[in-house]
Amino acid sequence: MRFLHVIEGPDSKAAFALPDLEPQLIGRSTEALPITDPSVSRRHAEMTPDGKNWFIRDLESTNGTLVNDEAIEGRTLLQPGDRIKCGSSVFLFDRTPDDRIPIHTMEIDPTGIRIIHRHGDDDTDHGRGRQRDQLRHVIAGTELAMSDSDQREYLEACLDLILAATGGRSAVVIVNATSGSKADLMLARHADSASLAPIDLNRTLAEVVRQEGTSIVAESPSTSNASNQRCVGAPLRSREQTRGVVVVSLDETSAQTNQLDLELLHVLAGQAGMALEQRLLVNQVLVNSRLAAMGETVAAISHGIKNILQGLRGGTDAVAMALQRDDLEMAGRGWNVLARNLDRIQSLTMNMLGFVRNRAFDIERVNLAELTTEAKELLVAQTSRADVQLEIELPEDLPPVPLDASAMLQALLNLLSNAIDASTAGGVVTLRASYDFEKDLFFIDIEDSGGGIDPQVRERLFEPFVTSKGQRGTGLGLVVSRRILEQHDGALECHESNASGTVMRMTLPGNPTERDPADTDSPDPLDGELGVEFGEPEH
């Protein structure tokens, strides 16, 4: 995407994005870019994209159009950095922000690279040992903040790091502490991990650190001895907000804290504040994404149920009217409408169960001829209503297929039902199967005689609630069928689709991975096991 920046004129400093494949009009008309320069004509100039290039032409404006101070005639190619003048306004035709600086990649023989130092290598320079130790603590704090541990695990590890960095005796972290309220979380750690001794927490110091948002060294009385105890407090800050406070009790033998030590604790506490916010934001994103997925699911299912209910209402009205008129022909037509929508209710219910359920499959060698015959018998009413012939072509030497018969029957019914719906009256749906001995793979092709799948729908064919059937589809059949195939260590794909029909191909291994029958799976969230993102329903 390119940009058009206004660098001179009444609209100076404005910028307009130039979307790919969308011509743009410079002028003061309602369909033009929103500029206010009165010296610009209503339809001054037009910018049109052509592949990666942009062209400009003057639209017989009053003052003409200049590119780099030269009046243009006809269609003129624009280059990044060109200055376009319309009236008293000057525009800069600019590159996208991500391609300002060209990058040249070079392939170099690895033996030609001399590695000087690696992160983590021992350093023999002890002249600045103290500073380097502190830098290592900062690096460790950064790596810890980037870990995927939960809030409690992170804070415990962070306290251990702070104790090691400061030489403290004990540390307490108070998360989301506010004046006059209890802490959301309070954790304590001793430098001696085996110690369970009580810790004297100076709440006054913690409150001052929280209010001022800065790190402080202070002394306070101790309940364990008569001498004062030196403590260091630092805020856990992120985006100008204090997320909590950490207070470190220093060891009496190392209680001399200099400015560099205080700054180190301030940095480590700041890292902790940002890490806590990052974990909070991640949790919020997960919750929001699940709520969004739930909302899209409910909306899509509600839409499908509404269509089914409308069909049922129409069928019952037709039957009721036919009974009043004693018209058996009208009653038959109404009953056909009812039967179709009852089939849709059954299909929607079974696919929703398959969508959210994840059970262990009972894999056994199955005669595919028997399974496909059963599927054909269950679809007799649908093929009759659609005036479509269903043919099954299986080789006589086809060996038994290892599969879960119940699950595979559901996948076959989904795919065959789709093929019947896609075929025109008088058409043929064909199921073919073959076995590749070398690859040890079974192939099951289902071919319809429809007009093919729209390319835009085909790209999203296996997303939940995406369908090419319009109001007749729910968009779950293919998702559930692919999941069934994948749980067989197989695959489902749109093998071919053109104006003469579509071929959906199922691939099954001759020897699938053995599973422990006791290894059952619990139901997955709608946005989990499927590994897909929800798209907008296309019905």
Side-chain angles (χ1 to χ4, degrees):
M1 183 183 296
R2 304 292 183 179
F3 288 84
L4 196 64
H5 301 270
V6 185
I7 57 177
E8 293 181 18
D11 305 293
S12 179
K13 297 183 180 180
F16 306 103
L18 304 176
D20 296 337
L21 306 179
E22 294 184 18
Q24 300 293 325
L25 181 66
I26 298 177
R28 292 183 292 105
S29 65
T30 54
E31 69 269 24
L33 297 175
I35 58 176
T36 60
D37 187 353
S39 62
V40 174
S41 301
R42 287 183 55 79
R43 295 175 55 84
H44 198 109
E46 182 184 47
M47 302 178 63
T48 54
D50 185 359
K52 295 183 178 180
N53 297 319
W54 278 82
F55 293 83
I56 187 171
R57 66 186 181 94
D58 184 70
L59 299 178
E60 299 182 357
S61 62
T62 303
N63 300 316
T65 302
L66 286 72
V67 174
N68 298 329
D69 298 327
E70 293 186 6
I72 62 172
E73 295 181 1
R75 195 164 178 253
T76 302
L77 176 65
L78 290 172
Q79 299 290 347
D82 282 351
R83 295 162 61 92
I84 303 168
K85 185 173 183 180
C86 299
S88 61
S89 294
V90 178
F91 306 88
L92 177 66
F93 180 70
D94 202 2
R95 296 178 182 269
T96 58
D98 56 356
D99 66 353
R100 290 180 180 275
I101 301 175
I103 299 175
H104 299 285
T105 59
M106 299 181 294
E107 300 212 358
I108 301 176
D109 184 353
T111 59
I113 298 177
R114 185 172 67 89
I115 299 176
I116 299 173
H117 192 75
R118 278 192 176 91
H119 170 66
D121 289 347
D122 290 336
D123 193 348
T124 57
D125 181 9
H126 300 291
R128 295 183 294 168
R130 178 82 179 275
Q131 291 87 340
R132 291 187 181 277
D133 285 342
Q134 291 174 327
L135 178 59
R136 289 191 181 97
H137 289 310
V138 173
I139 294 173
T142 301
E143 293 175 348
L144 182 60
M146 294 187 296
S147 67
D148 58 358
S149 57
D150 62 24
Q151 176 176 275
R152 189 181 188 90
E153 292 174 345
Y154 167 75
L155 286 173
E156 289 175 347
C158 185
L159 286 180
D160 290 337
L161 175 62
I162 287 175
L163 287 172
T166 60
R169 183 175 58 191
S170 61
V172 177
V173 63
I174 309 169
V175 179
N176 287 342
T178 56
S179 179
S181 68
K182 295 182 179 179
D184 290 345
L185 178 64
M186 183 182 294
L187 294 176
R189 303 286 279 187
H190 283 288
D192 179 5
S193 59
S195 175
L196 295 177
I199 297 175
D200 297 329
L201 174 63
N202 190 323
R203 291 301 299 264
T204 302
L205 173 61
E207 182 63 18
V208 172
V209 170
R210 186 194 67 80
Q211 290 180 351
E212 295 186 4
T214 190
S215 300
I216 296 174
V217 181
E219 286 186 349
S220 64
S222 174
T223 59
S224 58
N225 53 62
S227 61
N228 289 342
Q229 177 175 293
R230 180 164 292 193
C231 300
V232 184
L236 278 59
R237 291 182 60 80
S238 177
R239 293 195 303 176
E240 305 302 322
Q241 294 182 358
T242 300
R243 302 286 174 182
V245 175
V246 59
V247 177
V248 181
S249 299
L250 299 178
D251 194 337
E252 295 176 1
T253 60
S254 59
Q256 296 301 320
T257 304
N258 59 32
Q259 184 65 24
L260 196 57
D261 294 326
L262 188 61
E263 290 179 356
L264 173 61
L265 178 61
H266 190 82
V267 170
L268 293 177
Q271 288 179 334
M274 290 186 289
L276 290 177
E277 181 176 26
Q278 185 263 344
R279 282 160 173 77
L280 177 64
L281 292 176
V282 167
N283 290 334
Q284 290 177 346
V285 169
L286 289 176
V287 171
N288 291 339
S289 64
R290 286 173 182 151
L291 290 175
M294 185 182 299
E296 291 184 14
T297 303
V298 171
I301 294 174
S302 300
H303 185 80
I305 292 175
K306 180 194 69 175
N307 293 334
I308 293 173
L309 291 176
Q310 288 176 344
L312 289 172
R313 170 57 61 188
T316 53
D317 290 344
V319 171
M321 185 179 297
L323 292 175
Q324 291 177 356
R325 299 179 180 179
D326 196 19
D327 188 341
L328 291 180
E329 182 179 354
M330 179 183 291
R333 291 197 300 270
W335 178 251
N336 286 336
V337 174
L338 288 174
R340 285 198 302 271
N341 284 278
L342 288 173
D343 289 341
R344 293 173 66 189
I345 290 175
Q346 181 183 19
S347 175
L348 175 63
T349 304
M350 295 302 296
N351 282 324
M352 282 302 302
L353 288 174
F355 188 48
V356 299
R357 183 178 59 195
N358 190 14
R359 63 176 179 87
F361 282 173
D362 183 13
I363 304 295
E364 58 183 355
R365 297 280 172 175
V366 175
N367 187 327
L368 191 60
E370 296 178 359
L371 189 64
T372 54
T373 299
E374 182 180 359
K376 182 176 181 179
E377 291 174 352
L378 291 172
L379 293 170
V380 167
Q382 184 178 354
T383 54
S384 176
R385 289 194 301 265
D387 189 21
V388 172
Q389 185 176 353
L390 176 56
E391 296 181 353
I392 298 176
E393 300 177 2
L394 303 179
E396 295 181 358
D397 59 347
L398 184 70
V401 186
L403 48 81
D404 182 295
S406 176
M408 191 54 63
L409 178 60
Q410 182 179 358
L412 286 172
L413 290 174
N414 283 336
L415 295 173
L416 289 170
S417 178
N418 285 349
I420 294 168
D421 288 341
S423 300
T424 56
V428 178
V429 172
T430 307
L431 185 151
R432 299 184 181 90
S434 61
Y435 176 62
D436 189 322
F437 287 89
E438 294 183 0
K439 298 180 179 179
D440 192 23
L441 291 175
F442 290 90
F443 299 100
I444 304 174
D445 290 346
I446 296 177
E447 181 179 1
D448 63 46
S449 54
I453 302 174
D454 184 276
Q456 293 183 350
V457 176
R458 185 174 178 179
E459 291 178 358
R460 303 172 53 207
L461 200 57
F462 294 98
E463 292 182 17
F465 309 116
V466 174
T467 177
S468 59
K469 295 184 182 181
Q471 294 187 350
R472 295 179 295 116
T474 61
L476 288 178
L478 287 178
V479 179
V480 172
S481 299
R482 169 178 269 191
R483 178 175 176 178
I484 291 173
L485 267 297
E486 289 176 347
Q487 290 180 313
H488 281 82
D489 294 333
L492 172 63
E493 62 176 344
C494 180
H495 182 64
E496 182 181 350
S497 185
N498 51 48
S500 60
T502 299
V503 178
M504 300 298 296
R505 168 164 291 182
M506 292 186 284
T507 305
L508 289 165
N511 290 283
T513 304
E514 292 187 3
R515 301 176 185 269
D516 185 353
D519 183 18
T520 57
D521 298 320
S522 60
D524 293 307
L526 292 183
D527 57 346
E529 172 68 19
L530 295 171
V532 294
E533 295 181 357
F534 289 93
E536 295 181 2
E538 298 214 355
H539 46 253

